[in-house]
Amino acid sequence: MARAKLKTQKTEASVEDFLNSVKDEGQRADSIAIVKMMQAATGDKPKMWGAAIIGIGNTTLIYESGRELDWFKVGFSPRKAEPTLYAVKNSSDESVLKKLGKYKEGKGCLYIKKLSDVDTAVLKKIIEAASKAE
């Protein structure tokens, strides 16, 4: 099956400029810290995906239908309501998530209000596991 073409594509926009544009000082500091954790886990440089997602690493997603698409290993967006960590939940078992702290979850995503709401050592483990998942 052919590769799917997503609306959200990797761009050459500056990750640093994007992070510096986050208006809330606390959210900006949290965002920078999360991206550094993801970069350390993958060993890859962050890239912008679309206008508001930072993706780190490269992988190919293959759906049950056989559809394939290029995507990032782990990603992050400092969304105003709830900063979102992409592609991290599926790599974590429930026992690890129970130790994380205050968060919400979606399919493959974690939503955290503030980095201080979670145990950063546990978050690092979750990100590391996600970066190694195939």
Side-chain angles (χ1 to χ4, degrees):
M1 183 173 271
R3 289 196 180 276
K5 179 92 171 169
L6 290 174
K7 281 197 253 181
T8 305
Q9 295 289 315
K10 191 184 319 184
T11 73
E12 293 303 316
S14 169
V15 171
E16 184 177 357
D17 289 349
F18 174 67
L19 289 171
N20 287 331
S21 74
V22 175
K23 289 182 173 57
D24 181 90
E25 190 175 317
Q27 189 179 26
R28 184 172 51 252
D30 285 355
S31 299
I32 291 167
I34 290 168
V35 170
K36 284 181 179 177
M37 280 184 221
M38 291 181 161
Q39 187 172 1
T42 63
D44 294 319
K45 291 186 178 192
K47 295 283 188 178
M48 290 302 301
W49 284 73
I53 298 174
I54 299 166
I56 305 172
N58 296 300
T59 191
T60 301
L61 298 179
I62 303 172
Y63 291 88
E64 287 182 23
S65 66
R67 179 179 153 210
E68 296 182 11
L69 59 93
D70 294 321
W71 200 235
F72 44 79
K73 284 188 176 184
V74 292
F76 173 74
S77 183
R79 305 224 184 265
K80 190 173 184 176
E82 293 177 315
T84 305
L85 287 82
Y86 296 97
V88 295
K89 184 181 174 289
N90 291 340
S91 64
S92 303
D93 65 40
E94 292 301 315
S95 66
V96 174
L97 287 171
K98 286 180 183 177
K99 297 175 188 174
L100 181 58
K102 189 175 174 183
Y103 71 94
K104 292 181 185 175
E105 59 187 282
K107 186 175 182 177
C109 299
L110 295 178
Y111 307 98
I112 59 172
K113 292 272 188 192
K114 298 179 291 190
L115 202 50
S116 62
D117 288 342
V118 299
D119 183 325
T120 55
V122 174
L123 183 59
K124 284 179 187 178
K125 287 180 185 178
I126 290 170
I127 292 169
E128 287 168 1
S131 73
K132 292 171 178 61
E134 291 296 321

